[in-house]
Amino acid sequence: MITRFRVNNFKNLLNVEWRPVGVNLLIGPNNSGKTNLCQAIRMLAFSCTNPLDEAASIVLGENWNISNVYVSANTIELDADMCFSEGVQEFRFAYQLQLAVEREMPTGKQNLKVLKETLRVSDGNETDQLLIENSSGTAKILVEKPLLKDDKGCHYLETQVPRDATALSKLFDAEANRRALLFKQHFGPCFYFNLIPRALRSPKVVGKFPLISPDGENFSKFLFTIHNEQPRLERQIIEALKLVESKADLFNFYSPDPEFILFLIEDRSGNRFSAQSMSDGTLRFLALCCLIVLMDNVNQQGRPFPLVIFEEPENGLYVGHLKPLFNKLDFNHANAQCIFTSHSPYFIDLFDSHLEGVHVLKPGVPSSMLVKPDPEKTTRLLHEMPLGEMHYRELLA
């Protein structure tokens, strides 16, 4: 999981440092930077596997307004410390990326180039080792396999890397770059969800996304895959859905051609209900059931699940249904980590036992400020009012 994240000169965030835990909640007014902080994390994660401009397009949808408009600095800094266990061994990584921002005229498009990049690792014995050092495209990379038959040590390879991509994104040799690829495997596939009912209703077979896509457009394809490949998991999803739709008994599918899949919920009497006839809240709840049940199963098997970010999951939902669903998540698992954003006081109330992960973003110019509420003060106030009420009265920051 990420233990420390720092971002500088990204949108409305200047030199903001955050220490997330297993389950995290970001709250604050509109335009305070909750989504921007999540985008900064995603930007660093996607740069592990994609060219920088492509990573910006995936995360932001554009290549304009990446840096803070109120300062003249032409660099962006993204740092992440991460720890996780692989078998019995614990790894601690520190990844730092400094980007040059080059503005095209007259369009104003911002092109990103690597200025500096470093990746370091330490094991349980606190042995610190440099894996990658990249300065403006001139990279030094640790080779972990012997170059010659009688070699027993590691070697550094000096090479040139295109400045529009990180050196980490160019590594693929599982033997030569084992630990660097281990970091990329855990941090790179960062999942983000801002589920939209219109997209969830789409029958189109789209994308190569391994899970539900960020807006949910490939939801029918995802459910169809679960139906065919993981029937036990499908049964768990249906049982979770019964919190909202008690008549749900099984999923059914109709595929008029390879480009379309229609999914239907069927009750015990054989009556079928399509996604078009379901309420927005039921669809969003079903998608959350899928994600949370899947995360719970992965954690129980002891396998790491990538960082998952949920934007305002309570939208359109009765919060009373969310509590038993969220109770399924085991945030004590060493490699599990979630980030939620919210405005709802009732959803915020669900985190009264996870105060260590609650942070408030306060808007400001030129930068928003990230504040961690005082845990002792918050615990005392919980005897007088719920957590959501504290946020409403601005008592948390």
Side-chain angles (χ1 to χ4, degrees):
M1 67 168 65
I2 299 172
T3 56
R4 185 189 72 92
F5 181 77
R6 176 181 167 272
V7 53
N8 187 32
N9 195 28
F10 182 90
K11 294 206 166 185
N12 70 335
L13 303 174
L14 291 175
N15 200 27
V16 171
E17 183 173 288
W18 183 32
R19 295 184 180 272
V21 292
V23 54
N24 304 275
L25 175 66
L26 295 175
I27 54 180
N30 295 116
N31 293 321
S32 61
K34 299 184 298 296
T35 295
N36 291 346
L37 182 55
C38 294
Q39 286 179 337
I41 294 173
R42 296 178 67 217
M43 180 68 198
L44 186 58
F46 276 96
S47 73
C48 295
T49 54
N50 298 275
L52 296 173
D53 285 350
E54 186 174 329
S57 296
I58 293 171
V59 174
L60 308 175
E62 62 175 14
N63 292 76
W64 290 264
N65 301 317
I66 304 174
S67 59
N68 191 305
V69 299
Y70 296 107
V71 298
S72 57
N74 59 357
T75 60
I76 293 173
E77 298 170 6
L78 302 166
D79 306 343
D81 294 350
M82 190 173 190
C83 72
F84 55 83
S85 299
E86 189 78 11
V88 296
Q89 191 169 9
E90 181 180 85
F91 294 94
R92 295 183 179 274
F93 290 91
Y95 188 48
Q96 298 179 323
L97 185 63
Q98 185 180 45
L99 305 174
V101 182
E102 301 175 355
R103 189 181 297 273
E104 285 185 8
M105 300 303 291
T107 63
K109 178 184 176 183
Q110 292 183 315
N111 295 315
L112 303 176
K113 306 292 183 183
V114 173
L115 276 179
K116 294 181 180 179
E117 174 191 10
T118 61
L119 175 63
R120 309 189 72 90
V121 64
S122 61
D123 56 24
N125 299 320
E126 301 299 326
T127 303
D128 181 80
Q129 194 164 32
L130 177 69
L131 298 179
I132 297 173
E133 186 175 66
N134 179 9
S135 179
S136 300
T138 300
K140 184 171 73 172
I141 299 170
L142 182 69
V143 178
E144 298 190 52
K145 67 178 180 181
L147 296 180
L148 300 174
K149 183 177 181 181
D150 296 331
D151 284 348
K152 295 183 179 180
C154 297
H155 306 266
Y156 283 99
L157 171 69
E158 292 190 4
T159 185
Q160 295 295 310
V161 179
R163 288 193 63 206
D164 63 354
T166 63
L168 183 58
S169 69
K170 300 299 182 181
L171 300 184
F172 298 99
D173 191 326
E175 292 185 32
N177 311 114
R178 181 180 65 87
R179 287 177 293 177
L181 293 181
L182 196 60
F183 172 79
K184 182 160 72 169
Q185 173 190 339
H186 281 256
F187 186 47
C190 169
F191 293 134
Y192 170 85
F193 301 103
N194 187 5
L195 300 170
I196 302 172
R198 173 187 53 78
L200 290 168
R201 289 189 172 91
S202 173
K204 294 181 181 178
V205 175
V206 295
K208 299 179 181 179
F209 206 77
L211 280 178
I212 302 171
S213 56
D215 64 355
E217 190 179 12
N218 67 341
F219 191 40
S220 293
K221 175 185 175 183
F222 170 82
L223 285 174
F224 188 63
T225 302
I226 292 292
H227 177 77
N228 288 321
E229 298 180 5
Q230 301 188 59
R232 290 185 177 86
L233 192 63
E234 181 187 48
R235 174 51 57 186
Q236 292 179 48
I237 293 170
I238 293 172
E239 289 302 313
L241 176 62
K242 287 182 179 180
L243 287 168
V244 169
E245 183 50 76
S246 60
K247 299 186 296 294
D249 186 54
L250 55 86
F251 293 151
N252 217 318
F253 298 87
Y254 172 63
S255 182
D257 64 62
E259 300 299 320
F260 290 88
I261 296 174
L262 303 173
F263 85 89
L264 306 100
I265 294 177
E266 189 169 311
D267 64 16
R268 290 183 178 275
S269 300
N271 299 307
R272 295 178 177 179
F273 306 91
S274 70
Q276 309 304 321
S277 65
M278 298 176 202
S279 71
D280 290 355
T282 298
L283 270 175
R284 284 177 60 90
F285 188 83
L286 174 56
L288 283 172
C289 287
C290 293
L291 295 170
I292 290 177
V293 167
L294 182 60
M295 290 174 61
D296 181 55
N297 275 262
V298 170
N299 286 340
Q300 286 184 15
Q301 294 170 23
R303 293 187 289 120
F305 199 93
L307 170 67
V308 180
I309 302 171
F310 292 94
E311 288 268 20
E312 301 179 15
E314 76 280 3
N315 283 349
L317 299 179
Y318 170 52
V319 73
H321 291 146
L322 282 176
K323 187 169 185 177
L325 181 62
F326 276 54
N327 284 342
K328 293 179 68 65
L329 284 175
D330 178 14
F331 293 108
N332 294 316
H333 189 275
N335 292 333
Q337 192 166 40
C338 286
I339 299 171
F340 301 94
T341 71
S342 180
H343 291 288
S344 167
Y346 300 107
F347 183 78
I348 294 170
D349 287 345
L350 299 180
F351 290 79
D352 58 5
S353 60
H354 297 286
L355 296 179
E356 69 280 2
V358 177
H359 285 78
V360 182
L361 273 153
K362 302 183 70 173
V365 177
S367 174
S368 292
M369 181 171 59
L370 184 67
V371 179
K372 180 177 174 58
D374 184 327
E376 292 185 5
K377 174 185 174 183
T378 305
T379 301
R380 288 197 305 269
L381 286 173
L382 279 173
H383 296 291
E384 303 175 21
M385 66 187 78
L387 195 63
E389 180 72 11
M390 289 184 224
H391 176 54
Y392 173 73
R393 297 189 183 187
E394 299 184 353
L395 297 175
L396 292 175

